Amino acid sequence: MRSISISAEREYSINFDRKWRDALVEISKSYEKILIVAPVELVTLLKIDNIAKSLDSQVQLVSTPSGEAAKSPDFLLEMWEVCGEFGLTRSDCIVGIGGGATTDLAGFVAATWLRGIAWHAIPTSLAGMVDAAIGGKTGINSEHGKNLIGSFHSPVSVTIDESFLQSLPARDFNAGMAEVIKAGFIADTVILDLANDGKKNISELIWRSIDVKAKIVSSDFKENRLREILNYGHTLGHAVEKLEGYKLRHGEAVSIGLVFAAELSNQLGKIASEIVVQHRELLQKYELPVSYKSGEFPKLLSLMSSDKKARGASLRFIGLEGVAKPIWLENVTNDQLASAYERISS
Ligand code: GLY
């Protein structure tokens, strides 16, 4: 079995080439009780309740609403109630099986219950495998923005079972590719070549994207500085997601944000326009959106201001000064932002 290790508050492994059921059986051997969290449609599709009955430990299964609806304060309260009723102790664990919303929620429940218990991630979406389920960021959404309530709490293990991708809808696969392409633009040009070559390279793309993230997280787990580069495309992306009421996939909103961040970098004289074109072409290859409604800039600006990367009164963005050369764009004016937005407006 291949693995990539991450060194955060402790060391843990991202395990490849392993069936999720085998991983679950293995996990269950180490705990008396496990709370499995999975979205309702996956519980049915994967027959998780049947598998749960065959495990060594005592299992409680929670079906969550689909997508971002699982990451609400109301649902979090329900989760804490389940933890209490099930009698989850510090020597028990939570397992999140699902996309990024599920593992974000499962990890946050684990981070907050009894001030932190163990959890394991089994991501089932491409976005979860290459980004959301790795790196130890856990959290839920607030009325004021995405992921504003959260904690750094690393999983004990992450299982990458690529067979989930066979049944992943094309739209979700493509949305995950936005995070893969992001990893390429911030750190690894080979990813861009492989992505340009099509989805047949997906195993290598997953490996390389996780490797990019693992190295960054291992050197700046709590996002004091370097880890911010993983937010390339996310400042506008999160604002678009919120404005759309989470109806777009995260990766679709990030795709718009990536083109915006590239346009902003170009406008500030940091990259050539060919690199912006490269962003558009690669993202469009995966049918991802590269523009957004004109006239929405004031609302997006207000939402971006509550983004976690805003420091004091000024907004800052991750930009590029070349392919695989991320930079911090500080003190960007509203006029500069409006002008970059104009270039991505449809
Ligand atoms: N998704 C960005 C990060 O994990 O830091």
Side-chain angles (χ1 to χ4, degrees):
M1 182 175 72
R2 297 172 303 155
S3 67
I4 291 178
S5 81
I6 296 194
S7 166
E9 74 273 49
R10 57 194 155 65
E11 191 115 353
Y12 64 98
S13 288
I14 317 291
N15 301 318
F16 294 74
D17 314 320
R18 190 163 202 210
K19 293 287 158 222
W20 68 274
R21 285 185 193 82
D22 296 342
L24 197 53
V25 168
E26 202 55 41
I27 291 166
S28 77
K29 288 182 182 151
S30 304
Y31 303 94
E32 200 177 310
K33 291 183 180 177
I34 61 176
L35 180 69
I36 300 179
V37 183
V40 61
E41 66 278 6
L42 273 189
V43 169
T44 313
L45 187 77
L46 303 175
K47 300 188 172 58
I48 297 177
D49 40 1
N50 285 348
I51 293 158
K53 282 182 204 136
S54 68
L55 296 176
D56 283 350
S57 33
Q58 205 181 319
V59 181
Q60 171 84 42
L61 173 61
V62 180
S63 303
T64 72
S66 305
E68 294 292 314
K71 289 173 61 178
S72 71
D74 284 348
F75 195 72
L76 177 68
L77 283 178
E78 284 185 35
M79 290 291 311
W80 284 333
E81 197 51 40
V82 172
C83 291
E85 277 173 14
F86 186 38
L88 214 56
T89 71
R90 284 217 174 114
S91 48
D92 299 323
C93 86
I94 295 179
V95 180
I97 306 175
T102 308
T103 51
D104 279 3
L105 171 75
F108 190 59
V109 176
T112 48
W113 185 251
L114 302 179
R115 298 194 181 88
I117 66 167
W119 77 287
H120 297 256
I122 303 183
T124 58
S125 69
L126 179 57
M129 291 177 195
V130 299
D131 186 53
I134 58 171
K137 274 189 183 175
T138 69
I140 61 163
N141 301 328
S142 141
E143 270 306 299
H144 299 277
K146 190 173 158 91
N147 295 340
L148 292 185
I149 304 161
S151 171
F152 290 96
H153 185 59
S154 297
V156 174
S157 74
V158 181
T159 300
I160 305 293
D161 180 347
E162 289 176 29
S163 68
F164 283 124
L165 301 181
Q166 285 156 16
S167 54
L168 193 68
R171 183 174 174 192
D172 292 301
F173 180 89
N174 290 339
M177 282 303 296
E179 293 287 359
V180 170
I181 291 167
K182 174 204 78 179
F185 276 115
I186 59 169
D188 182 356
T189 57
V190 176
I191 289 180
L192 301 177
D193 295 338
L194 291 169
N196 199 34
D197 208 21
K199 66 194 262 192
K200 62 178 185 292
N201 298 316
I202 194 61
S203 292
E204 177 74 2
L205 284 165
I206 292 172
W207 176 272
R208 293 190 88 99
S209 302
I210 292 177
D211 196 47
V212 164
K213 181 155 182 175
K215 287 191 173 101
I216 294 167
V217 170
S218 296
S219 79
D220 180 21
F221 174 49
K222 291 273 178 89
E223 197 168 299
N224 290 315
R225 179 95 174 156
L226 180 70
R227 186 169 180 163
E228 288 184 352
I229 67 175
L230 290 170
N231 294 320
Y232 183 52
H234 282 60
T235 308
L236 186 83
H238 281 164
V240 168
E241 252 187 302
K242 172 90 174 99
L243 196 59
E244 290 289 325
Y246 301 107
K247 298 230 162 51
L248 282 182
R249 302 288 191 271
H250 173 67
E252 292 168 342
V254 165
S255 174
I256 296 165
L258 288 171
V259 182
F260 173 77
E263 284 286 13
L264 185 62
S265 307
N266 171 252
Q267 192 195 310
L268 297 174
K270 309 288 182 193
I271 55 170
S273 40
E274 287 74 23
I275 299 179
V276 186
V277 172
Q278 191 185 359
H279 279 71
R280 280 205 174 82
E281 288 180 352
L282 199 45
L283 293 163
Q284 282 177 313
K285 196 176 176 84
Y286 292 94
E287 293 170 22
L288 288 162
V290 293
S291 62
Y292 195 61
K293 295 172 264 188
S294 63
E296 298 288 30
F297 181 68
K299 283 187 217 154
L300 291 168
L301 184 61
S302 153
L303 286 166
M304 285 193 290
S305 302
S306 18
D307 189 277
K308 300 178 296 301
K309 287 152 297 294
R311 297 277 190 273
S314 69
L315 273 172
R316 63 198 187 125
F317 288 79
I318 300 302
L320 294 183
E321 56 182 355
V323 176
K325 291 186 180 149
I327 44 164
W328 282 255
L329 304 172
E330 317 262 2
N331 302 314
V332 186
T333 67
N334 287 355
D335 284 350
Q336 287 166 328
L337 293 173
S339 158
Y341 187 75
E342 195 57 37
R343 299 188 194 180
I344 67 148
S345 295
S346 51

